[in-house]
Amino acid sequence: ELLGIGWLDDTELLAIASAKPGAGRTVMNTLMSLIEGAQMKLEVASTNERAIRLYEKMGFIPTKEISRWYKIS
């Protein structure tokens, strides 16, 4: 059963999407197990409050804020 997908480049999480509501934690745990023992880096849009809450619950700590423009088509 597909719960979601993620794209890792070494220890940097470039993309993640859950296919089912509430599956984000399981997808993140799976991705984190692939780099066990290393620190994972990720970026998240400041407007994605749900993802930010999940990442904080999982122990991620904000380290810097980057201004980027994302085009939504």
Side-chain angles (χ1 to χ4, degrees):
E1 177 179 19
L2 178 67
L3 295 179
I5 58 171
W7 178 16
L8 283 172
D9 182 10
D10 194 26
T11 61
E12 186 172 0
L13 180 59
L14 301 174
I16 184 172
S18 58
K20 291 189 168 200
R25 179 178 290 275
T26 302
V27 175
M28 281 297 295
N29 282 331
T30 302
L31 292 169
M32 290 170 62
S33 74
L34 297 174
I35 60 164
E36 196 169 335
Q39 289 185 343
M40 179 186 280
K41 296 186 304 182
L42 62 89
E43 291 182 16
V44 61
S46 61
T47 56
N48 193 343
E49 295 174 5
R50 190 171 177 185
I52 292 169
R53 282 193 308 272
L54 171 63
Y55 301 147
E56 287 175 344
K57 286 179 186 176
M58 297 185 79
F60 285 88
I61 302 167
T63 57
K64 66 181 173 180
E65 188 170 321
I66 302 170
S67 296
R68 294 188 191 246
W69 291 92
Y70 293 95
K71 183 179 178 183
I72 299 174
S73 36

